Amino acid sequence: MLSSTTIERPPGPSIANLRGMREDPLGFPIEMQRRWGQFIYSPVGPGFRPTFFLFNPETVEQVLVTRRDNYVKSLVLRRLKAVFGESVLTSEGDLWKRSRRLLAPAFHRKALMQYVEAMDRCTVRAVDRMLAAGRFPLQQHMMEMTLDIAMECFFGSSAAGVTERVDQGMNDILGFADLAIGTLVQVPTWFPHPRAARFRRGMRTLTDVVNELIAQRRATGEERGDVLGLLLAARDDDGSALTDQEIRDEVITLLLAGHETTALALTYTLFLLSHRPALVAELRDEMAREIPDGAAPDFASLGRLRLQDQCFKESLRLYPPVGIIGREAVAADELEGWQVPAGAQMIMSIWAIQHDPRYYEEPWSFRPDRWTEAFERDLPRYAFFPFGGGHRVCIGDAFAKLEARVVLYRVLERLDLMPEQTDLPPMNLAVTMRPSREVFLTARARR
């Protein structure tokens, strides 16, 4: 309910100040929080809409959970429908519920258990490539590996030619997605801009690949429990099947949104661990206790790697692959005593909240030991939300965590990693949060 009294806008940056957001999209929210507090207003944001920046976990929870029916995906994300179509990432209402229902079985525990072998097989191939290279670009190798895993687990295909085409298509598309997110106004796909031209080429490439995968599966008549199989077998209440376009939207979304975020999370985790040989030794001791020497990891044994889980959580806290999330107010609301008009954009900086000293001692330090059961119990629910939250939490979060367990196990089991630099380069924030330049490690065989 809105108060009957007139409520002024909360403090915040002027339009001129907002140049700092473009120049430093990660540091500027933290500076805003320091200067103006926990609930900040800007008269102009995406689409020239009034915009609010939220830094209190309790307020984030209101937007994502308590009052979720009043907040839909942000204007910025809706711009990406040119990329993702009406998929589980971008759709709303009954259409979103349908997508979520159809995809959910592919991410249930039973399905996840079946993915471990394929994840391990793809990781072993990636480790072999790192060893062969010696000195290798970390992010590039993580991208190649997670794409390999996604193609094999989701679609039953990781043939080199197919994967290379998908990789090229995704690079073309993501460049346009970054452009769409980084501007105040909508950039149409027909716009005479090099990134728009590459986007059109990338969409043609991915559409051709997905069409081929669909045709091959239909030709063989093989029934599989992977994502492609579930989508092909899915039926609505009236018995109708999904159209090829609907299947393509979901497949492309999972490829684009699924593999890059996990690759970035692994990039940051392995870089951090490469500087801490004593911690790596503890991780290997834990691995030796839980997984017999020479044995392939399985779902149960991976779940017992508590220290590894702490390291991955701390990496996600320090370097969340998605730095911000947004929502749009459907109707007027009131948050923290301030009036929020309909259409306002709500920006929640995962990066800033997960570096808040109110919740994290030494917030800029890599301290996996902080993640005790007592610490997690006392931590506000939305002081740590690298996968988003509420009913729109990332559908693949459990898949990503399992993939990270497999990869970290195999890499640490077989390789010693030596870094070339002390710190990560500055971050670029667009669809995801990426290093501004490549990070190199050197790999040596342990045995």
Side-chain angles (χ1 to χ4, degrees), residues 346-390:
M346 318 302 292
I347 306 298
M348 292 155 277
S349 176
I350 298 172
W351 169 268
I353 292 174
Q354 292 184 179
H355 289 85
D356 195 321
R358 292 179 298 171
Y359 314 115
Y360 300 100
E361 184 180 352
E362 299 180 25
W364 301 98
S365 298
F366 180 62
R367 287 186 43 190
D369 62 317
R370 76 171 83 241
W371 292 96
T372 63
E373 291 183 5
F375 174 80
E376 293 194 51
R377 185 171 57 247
D378 295 338
L379 190 68
R381 171 64 186 86
Y382 285 89
F384 179 72
F385 57 121
F387 295 99

Short mmCIF file of all heavy atoms in Angstrom, two decimals, residues 346-390:
data_model
loop_
_atom_site.label_atom_id
_atom_site.label_comp_id
_atom_site.label_asym_id
_atom_site.label_seq_id
_atom_site.Cartn_x
_atom_site.Cartn_y
_atom_site.Cartn_z
N MET A 346 14.67 -1.44 -11.23
CA MET A 346 15.28 -1.77 -9.95
C MET A 346 16.59 -2.51 -10.21
O MET A 346 16.59 -3.61 -10.77
CB MET A 346 14.34 -2.63 -9.10
CG MET A 346 12.88 -2.21 -9.14
SD MET A 346 12.60 -0.51 -8.59
CE MET A 346 13.02 -0.64 -6.86
N ILE A 347 17.70 -1.89 -9.85
CA ILE A 347 19.02 -2.47 -10.10
C ILE A 347 19.60 -3.00 -8.79
O ILE A 347 19.73 -2.26 -7.81
CB ILE A 347 19.98 -1.43 -10.71
CG1 ILE A 347 19.37 -0.80 -11.96
CG2 ILE A 347 21.33 -2.08 -11.02
CD1 ILE A 347 19.11 -1.76 -13.08
N MET A 348 19.95 -4.28 -8.78
CA MET A 348 20.53 -4.92 -7.60
C MET A 348 21.95 -5.35 -7.94
O MET A 348 22.15 -6.22 -8.80
CB MET A 348 19.67 -6.11 -7.18
CG MET A 348 18.30 -5.71 -6.66
SD MET A 348 17.02 -6.99 -6.82
CE MET A 348 16.50 -6.76 -8.52
N SER A 349 22.92 -4.74 -7.30
CA SER A 349 24.32 -5.03 -7.59
C SER A 349 24.79 -6.21 -6.73
O SER A 349 25.10 -6.06 -5.55
CB SER A 349 25.20 -3.80 -7.31
OG SER A 349 26.56 -4.12 -7.49
N ILE A 350 24.82 -7.38 -7.35
CA ILE A 350 25.35 -8.56 -6.67
C ILE A 350 26.79 -8.29 -6.24
O ILE A 350 27.20 -8.64 -5.12
CB ILE A 350 25.27 -9.78 -7.60
CG1 ILE A 350 23.81 -10.09 -7.97
CG2 ILE A 350 25.94 -11.00 -6.97
CD1 ILE A 350 23.67 -11.16 -9.03
N TRP A 351 27.54 -7.67 -7.11
CA TRP A 351 28.94 -7.35 -6.84
C TRP A 351 29.08 -6.51 -5.57
O TRP A 351 29.87 -6.84 -4.68
CB TRP A 351 29.52 -6.61 -8.03
CG TRP A 351 30.86 -5.99 -7.83
CD1 TRP A 351 31.12 -4.71 -7.42
CD2 TRP A 351 32.14 -6.60 -8.02
NE1 TRP A 351 32.47 -4.49 -7.36
CE2 TRP A 351 33.13 -5.64 -7.72
CE3 TRP A 351 32.54 -7.87 -8.43
CZ2 TRP A 351 34.49 -5.90 -7.82
CZ3 TRP A 351 33.91 -8.13 -8.53
CH2 TRP A 351 34.86 -7.16 -8.22
N ALA A 352 28.31 -5.42 -5.45
CA ALA A 352 28.45 -4.53 -4.30
C ALA A 352 27.99 -5.20 -3.02
O ALA A 352 28.65 -5.10 -1.97
CB ALA A 352 27.66 -3.24 -4.54
N ILE A 353 26.86 -5.88 -3.06
CA ILE A 353 26.33 -6.50 -1.84
C ILE A 353 27.26 -7.60 -1.34
O ILE A 353 27.48 -7.75 -0.14
CB ILE A 353 24.91 -7.05 -2.10
CG1 ILE A 353 23.93 -5.88 -2.33
CG2 ILE A 353 24.43 -7.92 -0.93
CD1 ILE A 353 22.53 -6.30 -2.74
N GLN A 354 27.85 -8.37 -2.26
CA GLN A 354 28.74 -9.45 -1.84
C GLN A 354 30.12 -8.98 -1.43
O GLN A 354 30.96 -9.79 -1.01
CB GLN A 354 28.83 -10.50 -2.96
CG GLN A 354 27.51 -11.24 -3.16
CD GLN A 354 27.57 -12.35 -4.18
OE1 GLN A 354 26.59 -13.03 -4.40
NE2 GLN A 354 28.72 -12.57 -4.81
N HIS A 355 30.36 -7.67 -1.50
CA HIS A 355 31.59 -7.08 -0.97
C HIS A 355 31.29 -6.11 0.17
O HIS A 355 32.15 -5.30 0.53
CB HIS A 355 32.36 -6.34 -2.08
CG HIS A 355 32.99 -7.25 -3.08
ND1 HIS A 355 32.30 -7.74 -4.17
CD2 HIS A 355 34.25 -7.77 -3.17
CE1 HIS A 355 33.11 -8.52 -4.88
NE2 HIS A 355 34.29 -8.56 -4.30
N ASP A 356 30.12 -6.22 0.75
CA ASP A 356 29.70 -5.29 1.80
C ASP A 356 30.32 -5.71 3.13
O ASP A 356 30.10 -6.83 3.61
CB ASP A 356 28.18 -5.29 1.91
CG ASP A 356 27.65 -4.11 2.72
OD1 ASP A 356 28.29 -3.75 3.74
OD2 ASP A 356 26.59 -3.57 2.35
N PRO A 357 31.10 -4.83 3.77
CA PRO A 357 31.74 -5.19 5.04
C PRO A 357 30.76 -5.42 6.18
O PRO A 357 31.15 -5.95 7.22
CB PRO A 357 32.67 -4.00 5.33
CG PRO A 357 32.10 -2.87 4.54
CD PRO A 357 31.49 -3.48 3.32
N ARG A 358 29.50 -5.03 6.00
CA ARG A 358 28.50 -5.34 7.03
C ARG A 358 28.30 -6.84 7.15
O ARG A 358 27.91 -7.34 8.22
CB ARG A 358 27.16 -4.68 6.68
CG ARG A 358 27.15 -3.16 6.76
CD ARG A 358 25.79 -2.61 6.37
NE ARG A 358 25.44 -2.94 4.98
CZ ARG A 358 24.24 -2.72 4.46
NH1 ARG A 358 23.25 -2.24 5.22
NH2 ARG A 358 24.01 -3.01 3.18
N TYR A 359 28.56 -7.57 6.08
CA TYR A 359 28.30 -9.01 6.07
C TYR A 359 29.57 -9.84 5.94
O TYR A 359 29.58 -11.02 6.31
CB TYR A 359 27.35 -9.37 4.92
CG TYR A 359 26.18 -8.43 4.83
CD1 TYR A 359 26.01 -7.58 3.73
CD2 TYR A 359 25.26 -8.33 5.87
CE1 TYR A 359 24.95 -6.69 3.66
CE2 TYR A 359 24.21 -7.43 5.81
CZ TYR A 359 24.06 -6.62 4.70
OH TYR A 359 23.02 -5.73 4.64
N TYR A 360 30.64 -9.22 5.42
CA TYR A 360 31.86 -9.98 5.15
C TYR A 360 33.08 -9.26 5.72
O TYR A 360 33.41 -8.15 5.27
CB TYR A 360 32.04 -10.17 3.64
CG TYR A 360 30.90 -10.91 2.98
CD1 TYR A 360 29.90 -10.22 2.30
CD2 TYR A 360 30.82 -12.30 3.07
CE1 TYR A 360 28.85 -10.90 1.71
CE2 TYR A 360 29.77 -12.98 2.48
CZ TYR A 360 28.78 -12.27 1.81
OH TYR A 360 27.73 -12.95 1.22
N GLU A 361 33.70 -9.88 6.70
CA GLU A 361 34.96 -9.35 7.22
C GLU A 361 36.01 -9.50 6.12
O GLU A 361 36.07 -10.51 5.42
CB GLU A 361 35.37 -10.15 8.46
CG GLU A 361 36.61 -9.64 9.14
CD GLU A 361 36.97 -10.47 10.37
OE1 GLU A 361 36.17 -11.34 10.76
OE2 GLU A 361 38.07 -10.23 10.93
N GLU A 362 36.84 -8.47 5.97
CA GLU A 362 37.83 -8.45 4.89
C GLU A 362 37.17 -8.82 3.55
O GLU A 362 37.49 -9.84 2.93
CB GLU A 362 38.98 -9.41 5.19
CG GLU A 362 39.75 -9.08 6.46
CD GLU A 362 40.89 -10.06 6.70
OE1 GLU A 362 41.37 -10.66 5.70
OE2 GLU A 362 41.29 -10.24 7.85
N PRO A 363 36.23 -8.00 3.10
CA PRO A 363 35.41 -8.39 1.95
C PRO A 363 36.16 -8.55 0.64
O PRO A 363 35.66 -9.20 -0.28
CB PRO A 363 34.39 -7.24 1.85
CG PRO A 363 35.06 -6.08 2.52
CD PRO A 363 35.88 -6.68 3.62
N TRP A 364 37.35 -7.99 0.51
CA TRP A 364 38.10 -8.10 -0.73
C TRP A 364 39.13 -9.22 -0.69
O TRP A 364 39.89 -9.41 -1.65
CB TRP A 364 38.78 -6.77 -1.06
CG TRP A 364 37.78 -5.67 -1.20
CD1 TRP A 364 37.41 -4.76 -0.27
CD2 TRP A 364 36.95 -5.42 -2.34
NE1 TRP A 364 36.41 -3.94 -0.75
CE2 TRP A 364 36.11 -4.32 -2.02
CE3 TRP A 364 36.84 -6.00 -3.60
CZ2 TRP A 364 35.18 -3.81 -2.92
CZ3 TRP A 364 35.92 -5.48 -4.50
CH2 TRP A 364 35.10 -4.41 -4.16
N SER A 365 39.15 -9.98 0.40
CA SER A 365 40.10 -11.09 0.55
C SER A 365 39.43 -12.42 0.21
O SER A 365 38.24 -12.62 0.48
CB SER A 365 40.64 -11.15 1.98
OG SER A 365 41.35 -9.97 2.29
N PHE A 366 40.22 -13.32 -0.35
CA PHE A 366 39.76 -14.67 -0.67
C PHE A 366 39.91 -15.52 0.59
O PHE A 366 41.00 -15.95 0.94
CB PHE A 366 40.59 -15.25 -1.81
CG PHE A 366 40.20 -16.65 -2.22
CD1 PHE A 366 38.93 -16.93 -2.71
CD2 PHE A 366 41.13 -17.68 -2.14
CE1 PHE A 366 38.59 -18.21 -3.10
CE2 PHE A 366 40.79 -18.97 -2.53
CZ PHE A 366 39.52 -19.24 -3.01
N ARG A 367 38.79 -15.74 1.28
CA ARG A 367 38.81 -16.46 2.55
C ARG A 367 37.76 -17.57 2.56
O ARG A 367 36.65 -17.41 3.08
CB ARG A 367 38.54 -15.50 3.70
CG ARG A 367 39.70 -14.56 4.02
CD ARG A 367 39.39 -13.75 5.27
NE ARG A 367 38.78 -14.57 6.33
CZ ARG A 367 38.25 -14.10 7.45
NH1 ARG A 367 38.26 -12.80 7.68
NH2 ARG A 367 37.72 -14.89 8.34
N PRO A 368 38.06 -18.71 1.95
CA PRO A 368 37.09 -19.80 1.92
C PRO A 368 36.66 -20.27 3.31
O PRO A 368 35.54 -20.77 3.48
CB PRO A 368 37.84 -20.92 1.17
CG PRO A 368 38.87 -20.21 0.36
CD PRO A 368 39.29 -19.03 1.20
N ASP A 369 37.55 -20.10 4.31
CA ASP A 369 37.23 -20.58 5.64
C ASP A 369 36.07 -19.84 6.29
O ASP A 369 35.53 -20.29 7.30
CB ASP A 369 38.47 -20.49 6.55
CG ASP A 369 38.95 -19.05 6.71
OD1 ASP A 369 39.00 -18.31 5.70
OD2 ASP A 369 39.28 -18.66 7.84
N ARG A 370 35.65 -18.70 5.70
CA ARG A 370 34.52 -17.97 6.29
C ARG A 370 33.21 -18.75 6.16
O ARG A 370 32.27 -18.52 6.91
CB ARG A 370 34.39 -16.59 5.66
CG ARG A 370 33.81 -16.55 4.29
CD ARG A 370 33.52 -15.12 3.81
NE ARG A 370 34.69 -14.45 3.25
CZ ARG A 370 35.18 -13.32 3.77
NH1 ARG A 370 34.63 -12.77 4.84
NH2 ARG A 370 36.23 -12.75 3.19
N TRP A 371 33.16 -19.69 5.18
CA TRP A 371 31.89 -20.35 4.86
C TRP A 371 31.62 -21.55 5.78
O TRP A 371 31.52 -22.69 5.34
CB TRP A 371 31.86 -20.77 3.39
CG TRP A 371 31.81 -19.57 2.50
CD1 TRP A 371 32.85 -18.94 1.88
CD2 TRP A 371 30.64 -18.81 2.17
NE1 TRP A 371 32.41 -17.85 1.18
CE2 TRP A 371 31.06 -17.75 1.34
CE3 TRP A 371 29.28 -18.93 2.49
CZ2 TRP A 371 30.16 -16.81 0.83
CZ3 TRP A 371 28.39 -18.01 1.99
CH2 TRP A 371 28.83 -16.96 1.16
N THR A 372 31.52 -21.25 7.06
CA THR A 372 31.12 -22.27 8.03
C THR A 372 29.59 -22.36 8.08
O THR A 372 28.88 -21.47 7.59
CB THR A 372 31.63 -21.93 9.43
OG1 THR A 372 31.01 -20.70 9.86
CG2 THR A 372 33.15 -21.75 9.42
N GLU A 373 29.08 -23.41 8.67
CA GLU A 373 27.63 -23.55 8.80
C GLU A 373 27.05 -22.41 9.62
O GLU A 373 25.97 -21.88 9.30
CB GLU A 373 27.28 -24.90 9.44
CG GLU A 373 27.58 -26.10 8.54
CD GLU A 373 27.17 -27.40 9.17
OE1 GLU A 373 26.56 -27.37 10.28
OE2 GLU A 373 27.42 -28.46 8.57
N ALA A 374 27.74 -22.00 10.66
CA ALA A 374 27.26 -20.90 11.49
C ALA A 374 27.23 -19.59 10.72
O ALA A 374 26.28 -18.80 10.82
CB ALA A 374 28.14 -20.76 12.73
N PHE A 375 28.28 -19.34 9.90
CA PHE A 375 28.33 -18.12 9.11
C PHE A 375 27.17 -18.08 8.11
O PHE A 375 26.48 -17.06 7.98
CB PHE A 375 29.66 -18.04 8.37
CG PHE A 375 29.76 -16.89 7.40
CD1 PHE A 375 30.04 -15.62 7.86
CD2 PHE A 375 29.56 -17.09 6.04
CE1 PHE A 375 30.13 -14.54 6.97
CE2 PHE A 375 29.65 -16.04 5.14
CZ PHE A 375 29.93 -14.76 5.61
N GLU A 376 26.94 -19.18 7.42
CA GLU A 376 25.86 -19.22 6.44
C GLU A 376 24.49 -19.08 7.10
O GLU A 376 23.58 -18.47 6.54
CB GLU A 376 25.94 -20.51 5.63
CG GLU A 376 27.17 -20.59 4.74
CD GLU A 376 27.07 -21.69 3.70
OE1 GLU A 376 26.05 -21.72 2.98
OE2 GLU A 376 28.00 -22.50 3.60
N ARG A 377 24.35 -19.64 8.28
CA ARG A 377 23.07 -19.54 8.99
C ARG A 377 22.75 -18.10 9.36
O ARG A 377 21.59 -17.67 9.30
CB ARG A 377 23.11 -20.42 10.24
CG ARG A 377 21.79 -20.51 10.99
CD ARG A 377 21.86 -21.56 12.09
NE ARG A 377 22.93 -21.32 13.03
CZ ARG A 377 24.00 -22.10 13.16
NH1 ARG A 377 24.15 -23.17 12.39
NH2 ARG A 377 24.95 -21.82 14.05
N ASP A 378 23.78 -17.32 9.73
CA ASP A 378 23.56 -15.95 10.17
C ASP A 378 23.56 -14.94 9.02
O ASP A 378 23.16 -13.79 9.21
CB ASP A 378 24.65 -15.55 11.18
CG ASP A 378 24.56 -16.37 12.47
OD1 ASP A 378 23.46 -16.90 12.76
OD2 ASP A 378 25.58 -16.47 13.18
N LEU A 379 24.03 -15.34 7.85
CA LEU A 379 24.12 -14.43 6.72
C LEU A 379 22.73 -14.13 6.17
O LEU A 379 21.95 -15.06 5.94
CB LEU A 379 24.99 -15.06 5.63
CG LEU A 379 25.41 -14.18 4.45
CD1 LEU A 379 26.38 -13.09 4.90
CD2 LEU A 379 26.04 -15.05 3.35
N PRO A 380 22.37 -12.85 5.96
CA PRO A 380 21.08 -12.55 5.33
C PRO A 380 20.95 -13.28 4.00
O PRO A 380 21.92 -13.40 3.24
CB PRO A 380 21.12 -11.04 5.14
CG PRO A 380 22.06 -10.54 6.18
CD PRO A 380 23.10 -11.62 6.33
N ARG A 381 19.75 -13.76 3.71
CA ARG A 381 19.55 -14.62 2.53
C ARG A 381 20.07 -13.97 1.25
O ARG A 381 20.68 -14.64 0.42
CB ARG A 381 18.06 -14.93 2.39
CG ARG A 381 17.68 -15.65 1.09
CD ARG A 381 18.31 -17.02 1.00
NE ARG A 381 18.07 -17.63 -0.30
CZ ARG A 381 18.81 -17.45 -1.39
NH1 ARG A 381 19.87 -16.65 -1.33
NH2 ARG A 381 18.53 -18.05 -2.52
N TYR A 382 19.86 -12.70 1.06
CA TYR A 382 20.26 -12.06 -0.18
C TYR A 382 21.49 -11.18 -0.02
O TYR A 382 21.68 -10.20 -0.72
CB TYR A 382 19.09 -11.31 -0.80
CG TYR A 382 18.13 -12.31 -1.42
CD1 TYR A 382 17.09 -12.86 -0.67
CD2 TYR A 382 18.32 -12.78 -2.71
CE1 TYR A 382 16.24 -13.81 -1.21
CE2 TYR A 382 17.49 -13.73 -3.26
CZ TYR A 382 16.45 -14.25 -2.51
OH TYR A 382 15.63 -15.21 -3.04
N ALA A 383 22.37 -11.60 0.90
CA ALA A 383 23.72 -11.04 0.95
C ALA A 383 24.66 -11.88 0.07
O ALA A 383 25.80 -11.50 -0.16
CB ALA A 383 24.24 -11.00 2.38
N PHE A 384 24.17 -13.02 -0.40
CA PHE A 384 24.92 -13.88 -1.32
C PHE A 384 23.92 -14.49 -2.28
O PHE A 384 23.11 -15.34 -1.91
CB PHE A 384 25.64 -14.98 -0.52
CG PHE A 384 26.43 -15.95 -1.38
CD1 PHE A 384 27.61 -15.55 -2.00
CD2 PHE A 384 26.00 -17.25 -1.56
CE1 PHE A 384 28.34 -16.44 -2.78
CE2 PHE A 384 26.72 -18.15 -2.34
CZ PHE A 384 27.90 -17.74 -2.95
N PHE A 385 23.94 -14.03 -3.53
CA PHE A 385 22.97 -14.54 -4.51
C PHE A 385 23.55 -14.53 -5.93
O PHE A 385 23.03 -13.90 -6.83
CB PHE A 385 21.65 -13.78 -4.43
CG PHE A 385 21.72 -12.28 -4.63
CD1 PHE A 385 21.00 -11.66 -5.66
CD2 PHE A 385 22.46 -11.45 -3.79
CE1 PHE A 385 21.04 -10.29 -5.85
CE2 PHE A 385 22.51 -10.08 -3.97
CZ PHE A 385 21.80 -9.50 -5.02
N PRO A 386 24.65 -15.25 -6.13
CA PRO A 386 25.31 -15.24 -7.45
C PRO A 386 24.47 -15.84 -8.56
O PRO A 386 24.73 -15.59 -9.74
CB PRO A 386 26.58 -16.05 -7.21
CG PRO A 386 26.25 -16.94 -6.06
CD PRO A 386 25.36 -16.13 -5.18
N PHE A 387 23.44 -16.65 -8.20
CA PHE A 387 22.57 -17.24 -9.21
C PHE A 387 21.20 -16.56 -9.25
O PHE A 387 20.24 -17.12 -9.79
CB PHE A 387 22.38 -18.74 -8.93
CG PHE A 387 23.65 -19.55 -9.07
CD1 PHE A 387 24.38 -19.90 -7.94
CD2 PHE A 387 24.11 -19.94 -10.32
CE1 PHE A 387 25.56 -20.63 -8.06
CE2 PHE A 387 25.27 -20.68 -10.44
CZ PHE A 387 26.01 -21.02 -9.32
N GLY A 388 21.12 -15.35 -8.72
CA GLY A 388 19.82 -14.69 -8.64
C GLY A 388 19.03 -15.23 -7.47
O GLY A 388 19.60 -15.76 -6.51
N GLY A 389 17.71 -15.09 -7.52
CA GLY A 389 16.92 -15.56 -6.40
C GLY A 389 15.44 -15.55 -6.70
O GLY A 389 14.98 -15.15 -7.77
N GLY A 390 14.67 -16.03 -5.72
CA GLY A 390 13.23 -16.11 -5.88
C GLY A 390 12.85 -17.20 -6.87
O GLY A 390 13.62 -18.11 -7.18
#
